[in-house]
C-alpha cells in the first residue's frame, strides 16, 4: 500500500487589530460582513442624529406594541368564537342565562 500525503494549506492570515484599541465582541460562527455584532462608533454622533435615532426607536416600539395588542384582541375573539361553536352557546358563564334548577329551588 502506498501512503499518499495530502498537501497542507497554510493557515489563513490573521486580520489586523481594529483601530481604537477597543475590544469588540465577535459573532459566534464568524458570519459574513465584518464579523462584529455592533461595532462602536468612531465619534459621538451629533444631537440631530441621536434625535432621529430616538424617534425611529419610539416609532418601532409603538408599532410593535400596537401589533401585539391587535394580535391579542384577535386571538381572544377567535377563541371566544371557537368556544361558542364548541359549546353551542355563550362560553362565558357570567353571561349565561340562569339555569332552571336555580329557579326551581327558589320557588319550591
Amino acid at each position: 500500500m502506498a501512503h499518499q500525503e495530502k498537501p497542507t494549506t497554510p493557515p489563513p492570515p490573521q486580520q489586523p487589530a481594529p483601530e481604537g484599541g477597543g475590544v469588540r465582541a465577535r459573532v459566534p460562527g464568524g458570519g459574513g460582513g465584518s464579523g462584529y455584532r455592533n461595532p462602536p462608533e468612531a465619534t459621538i454622533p451629533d444631537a440631530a442624529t441621536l434625535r432621529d435615532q430616538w424617534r425611529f426607536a419610539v416609532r418601532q416600539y409603538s408599532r410593535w406594541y400596537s401589533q401585539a395588542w391587535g394580535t391579542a384582541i384577535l386571538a381572544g375573539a377567535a377563541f371566544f368564537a371557537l368556544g361558542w361553536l364548541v359549546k353551542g352557546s355563550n362560553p362565558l358563564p357570567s353571561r349565561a342565562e340562569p339555569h332552571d334548577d336555580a329557579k326551581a329551588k327558589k320557588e319550591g
Side-chain angles (χ1 to χ4, degrees), residues 80-89 91:
F80 181 81
L82 182 64
W84 195 297
L85 288 173
V86 168
K87 185 177 177 185
S89 64

Side-chain angles (χ1 to χ4, degrees), residues 62-101:
S62 299
R63 184 177 300 131
W64 294 339
Y65 187 81
S66 64
Q67 286 176 350
W69 270 107
T71 302
I73 291 169
L74 285 175
F79 280 115
F80 181 81
L82 182 64
W84 195 297
L85 288 173
V86 168
K87 185 177 177 185
S89 64
N90 192 339
L92 297 177
S94 63
R95 301 283 186 187
E97 295 291 325
H99 296 292
D100 293 336
D101 300 343

Side-chain angles (χ1 to χ4, degrees), residues 18-20 22-26 34 36 38-40:
E19 293 182 20
V23 178
R24 297 180 183 180
R26 298 281 298 172
S34 65
Y36 296 108
N38 188 11

Side-chain angles (χ1 to χ4, degrees), residues 16-65:
E19 293 182 20
V23 178
R24 297 180 183 180
R26 298 281 298 172
V27 174
S34 65
Y36 296 108
R37 192 173 284 144
N38 188 11
E41 300 202 15
T43 60
I44 297 175
D46 60 312
T49 302
L50 291 173
R51 194 175 308 114
D52 289 343
Q53 289 175 348
W54 182 258
R55 287 179 181 158
F56 176 77
V58 168
R59 276 195 310 272
Q60 285 293 100
Y61 177 79
S62 299
R63 184 177 300 131
W64 294 339
Y65 187 81

